[in-house]
Amino acid sequence: MSEPVVDDTIVAKARKYNRAAIETIFVENYQAISRIAIGLSGRVDVGMGVVRFAIKQALRALPAWKDETAPQRWFLHHTILLVRRATKHQPSRNNDTLISDPRTAPPEYIAFIRALRQLPMQQRESFILHHGERLNERYSAVAMDCSVIAAANHLNAANGTLRPIAGDQFDAFIKTIHQTYRSLGPAEAMTLPKIRRAIVGYVWPRRIARWTGWVLILGFIVAISYAVKKIWPTLEF
């Protein structure tokens, strides 16, 4: 996972509902959270539902982002939380987003993915975040809201359970998972239009409210100044 490309200045502008700054932050995170949501849930419909809701929540959360790493931390963690809430919507036996084509996938690989889906929740998360998204233990810990040691333990436990199932095909299956995972989510060309549609109805009312607030304050100051000018000559000292 690359370091955030946004800086504190962009985050500060986003807190003031600057549309370009918000677009920069959201576009930067959109592909990753789409892959995570679709890959963890095993379903495109569930994953994209998670992404849409995460974007809405992020718009409400952005005034609290104080530094350049805050947006990425927020998106990682809350995407995981939302996927956890959708666990009742499981993929079908052969229709899993980590299986690119059930018609041609080896039965052993399909069985491996089914075994992955049966792991305890945090083991499944750590496995997909590490082998799919290629998050390191620190970022996995942020996403899963646990310690780095706990994230490593979950990954080791998942590997320990799945390696005997795959046997000597374990490394090949991991490669297939990563390649399939990286193809998940909308095309990059669609990212900016999707983000713009999501934020336009949120940003403008709040920018107008900010401008209205400043106009009211300025009007109040002008009114006070006028009143002082009218009253001042009549005052006796």
Side-chain angles (χ1 to χ4, degrees):
M1 189 79 174
S2 62
E3 294 294 329
V5 298
V6 300
D7 56 22
D8 288 341
T9 300
I10 292 177
V11 175
K13 289 181 179 179
R15 289 200 301 269
K16 296 178 180 179
Y17 305 110
N18 178 279
R19 194 178 82 171
I22 295 174
E23 287 178 359
T24 298
I25 292 172
F26 281 48
V27 166
E28 178 188 302
N29 289 278
Y30 189 82
Q31 288 294 319
I33 67 171
S34 296
R35 290 191 300 266
I36 290 171
I38 296 172
L40 285 181
S41 68
R43 292 175 49 165
V44 174
D45 58 342
V46 174
M48 292 312 298
V50 164
V51 171
R52 287 190 293 271
F53 195 63
I55 293 297
K56 290 180 181 179
Q57 286 192 328
L59 288 168
R60 292 193 289 269
L62 70 85
W65 295 342
K66 301 302 183 185
D67 59 63
E68 63 186 23
T69 65
Q72 187 181 37
R73 294 197 310 269
W74 190 97
F75 276 112
L76 286 174
H77 179 51
H78 284 80
T79 299
I80 296 294
L81 291 181
L82 291 170
V83 172
R84 288 174 180 174
R85 289 171 53 182
T87 52
K88 66 179 181 179
H89 304 292
Q90 291 293 310
S92 61
R93 185 172 185 83
N94 293 329
N95 189 20
D96 190 298
T97 55
L98 295 180
I99 303 172
S100 58
D101 188 348
R103 297 169 299 179
T104 59
E108 298 84 0
Y109 179 75
I110 294 176
F112 183 80
I113 296 301
R114 294 307 303 165
L116 168 60
R117 295 298 180 193
Q118 298 305 312
L119 290 175
M121 178 182 63
Q122 289 183 303
Q123 291 184 28
R124 183 170 66 250
E125 291 170 354
S126 64
F127 188 91
I128 294 175
L129 290 174
H130 178 78
H131 295 298
E133 189 64 28
R134 297 287 171 87
L135 294 186
N136 60 29
E137 292 170 356
R138 181 169 68 90
Y139 280 110
S140 291
V142 169
M144 297 165 60
D145 194 25
C146 64
S147 68
V148 172
I149 293 175
N153 288 339
H154 291 311
L155 176 60
N156 290 335
N159 287 336
T161 298
L162 295 175
R163 189 178 293 275
I165 295 173
D168 58 6
Q169 297 186 83
F170 182 78
D171 290 339
F173 286 172
I174 293 299
K175 183 178 180 180
T176 300
I177 285 175
H178 178 66
Q179 291 173 340
T180 304
Y181 179 92
R182 297 301 297 183
S183 69
L184 301 179
E188 289 191 15
M190 294 299 298
T191 298
L192 184 56
K194 285 177 177 291
I195 293 300
R196 284 180 170 168
R197 285 196 296 270
I199 71 175
V200 66
Y202 182 87
V203 171
W204 282 110
R206 284 155 182 81
R207 292 189 68 177
I208 291 172
R210 285 175 59 86
W211 294 334
T212 301
W214 282 113
V215 169
L216 290 175
I217 292 173
L218 181 61
F220 179 75
I221 293 173
V222 170
I224 292 296
S225 298
Y226 179 79
V228 169
K229 288 181 181 180
K230 296 291 287 184
I231 297 174
W232 186 268
T234 66
L235 295 179
E236 297 181 0
F237 298 94

